[in-house]
Amino acid sequence: MTAKLIKGSEIREQILAEIKEEVQKIKKSHGKVPGLVTILVGQNPASISYVTLKVKTAEECGFKEVQDNQPETISEADLLALIDKYNRDDSIHGILVQLPLPKHINEKKVLNAIDPDKDVDGFHPVNVGRLMIGGSEVKFPPCTPAGIQELIVRAGVETKGAEVVVVGRSNIVGKPIAMMMVQKGVGANSTVTIVHTATKDLAYHCKRADILIVAAGVPGLVKPEWIKPGACVIDVGVNRVGEKISEKTGKKVAILRGDVDFDEAVKVAGYITPVPGGVGPMTITMLMKNALKSLKFTLGIA
Ligand code: NAP
């Protein structure tokens, strides 16, 4: 068997086209577009490239995008005041604070200062609680787990009654995706197991999975013999395992590997996401979806 590839890079384009179309319709009917502010503190190169991609995608979607760059030396009080300003700005529907923040600033305090109704990343404790309750209570599902669920749904994989095994229990991937898959509803209604470093027999659990979601950050952790034939394998891991010279640009680029031994797993699984080009492109896409949703909530059309 050769698994069907679930290409996030292609699904991303479909979703962005849907978002663009909806933004234009709302602009026509209500005269408003989603407003997204990205606050970047300092000059961390990885943060700059991530923020640049967010800004570019938001602009492509027809959003009002505000990139607010602040110096490394900004005080915690000034950053909190800035967030308060955007919390009260009616033209802003989503507030993003790029992490990491400088050491003198308490990240938790800053993230918790964002109005939960503008927290399009979905990390505020209020939104984590809403996700736990499920159904119509959920406003902003966190972006990477939402992207994973979208990939599963768009690939046409049955989730109702499926055994889902999630490797990893982080607050940004493992726990929320497990919570989303266990809820009643479309793309969910699964029987979910979460495994982690204290799990006694990782292989045993992985082998039971109809849908195996791996977010451990350990290159090649999941072996092909741990995969049930025909299973859907979602590899969230992005691990830098070396560098190479890009044929396109001639510049040094990272060699990326997932948490699954892809070359062998593809022979056993029914569906599999590649790394790169699988889950990766979905995160910013789902962020755009959340920002649009936020505008729709304020207009009462969500
Ligand atoms: P994290 O916070 O480091 O959590 C990793 C989880 O995996 C932990 O719960 C850990 O267990 C578990 N784990 C680690 N090694 C394991 C092992 N040998 N056996 C069983 N469980 C193990 O990582 P994260 O933030 O969730 O990210 C995970 C991976 O996804 C990373 O490669 C990251 O780069 C990638 N990622 C990709 C995207 C994207 O594509 N957009 C977004 C987010 C993350 P313990 O809790 O017991 O320590």
Side-chain angles (χ1 to χ4, degrees):
M1 175 186 285
T2 303
K4 190 167 177 258
L5 286 190
I6 305 178
K7 294 183 186 164
S9 41
E10 286 177 7
I11 293 175
R12 167 189 193 273
E13 295 309 318
Q14 290 167 19
I15 298 173
L16 290 180
E18 291 163 13
I19 294 174
K20 274 180 221 171
E21 199 185 321
E22 208 175 345
V23 168
Q24 288 314 313
K25 272 190 193 156
I26 295 175
K27 193 175 175 184
K28 243 184 173 178
S29 58
H30 293 79
K32 295 214 157 133
V33 296
L36 189 63
V37 60
T38 309
I39 301 172
L40 173 65
V41 178
Q43 296 286 319
N44 177 326
S47 296
I48 292 173
S49 66
Y50 194 59
V51 163
T52 307
L53 192 57
K54 279 182 192 171
V55 170
K56 190 171 159 270
T57 313
E59 285 172 352
E60 274 171 28
C61 288
F63 291 8
K64 169 187 164 177
E65 166 62 44
V66 179
Q67 189 176 350
D68 192 331
N69 290 351
Q70 294 293 329
E72 183 93 19
T73 51
I74 188 174
S75 69
E76 186 179 284
D78 285 349
L79 186 55
L80 291 171
L82 192 65
I83 289 172
D84 186 47
K85 183 188 96 171
Y86 289 120
N87 279 343
R88 287 183 285 105
D89 182 339
D90 287 345
S91 72
I92 295 295
H93 308 95
I95 302 171
L96 302 169
V97 178
Q98 186 62 42
L99 300 180
L101 291 172
K103 286 201 174 68
H104 66 277
I105 297 176
N106 181 333
E107 277 186 4
K108 199 169 162 188
K109 205 166 163 187
V110 168
L111 294 182
N112 289 356
I114 297 172
D115 178 346
D117 290 344
K118 295 190 179 187
D119 165 46
V120 286
D121 263 333
F123 293 149
H124 193 287
V126 168
N127 284 317
V128 176
R130 288 169 169 164
L131 191 80
M132 179 81 151
I133 296 166
S136 60
E137 204 66 36
V138 182
K139 276 206 145 175
F140 307 121
C143 302
T144 301
I148 294 169
Q149 194 177 37
E150 193 80 31
L151 289 180
I152 295 170
V153 170
R154 290 194 187 228
V157 174
E158 178 62 271
T159 58
K160 185 178 174 188
E163 291 285 340
V164 171
V165 175
V166 180
V167 184
R169 55 177 163 185
S170 72
N171 287 329
I172 62 164
V173 189
K175 279 194 267 185
I177 188 60
M179 191 46 58
M180 289 162 77
M181 297 307 293
V182 84
Q183 304 286 2
K184 279 193 177 171
V186 177
N189 227 352
S190 308
T191 304
V192 180
T193 305
I194 306 179
V195 296
H196 42 76
T197 55
T199 298
K200 282 183 185 147
D201 190 344
L202 206 58
Y204 162 78
H205 291 286
C206 291
K207 272 188 225 166
R208 292 190 299 106
D210 299 312
I211 301 173
L212 179 61
I213 300 169
V214 193
V218 180
L221 173 69
V222 171
K223 312 288 174 250
E225 58 273 21
W226 297 8
I227 297 169
K228 183 172 168 178
C232 170
V233 179
I234 306 290
D235 189 352
V236 190
V238 180
N239 307 291
R240 286 167 183 262
V241 294
E243 283 184 335
K244 62 177 182 184
I245 302 294
S246 161
E247 281 176 20
K248 255 192 198 167
T249 62
K251 287 184 185 165
K252 258 191 198 170
V253 290
I255 301 173
L256 302 178
R257 290 271 183 279
D259 288 349
V260 176
D261 177 356
F262 180 86
D263 292 343
E264 293 302 315
V266 77
K267 298 174 191 166
V268 186
Y271 297 83
I272 192 165
T273 56
V275 177
V279 175
M282 295 301 288
T283 301
I284 290 181
T285 308
M286 300 317 284
L287 186 64
M288 300 302 132
K289 213 169 168 178
N290 275 351
L292 171 58
K293 218 172 159 192
S294 182
L295 168 65
K296 287 164 73 180
F297 279 124
T298 65
L299 296 173
I301 55 170

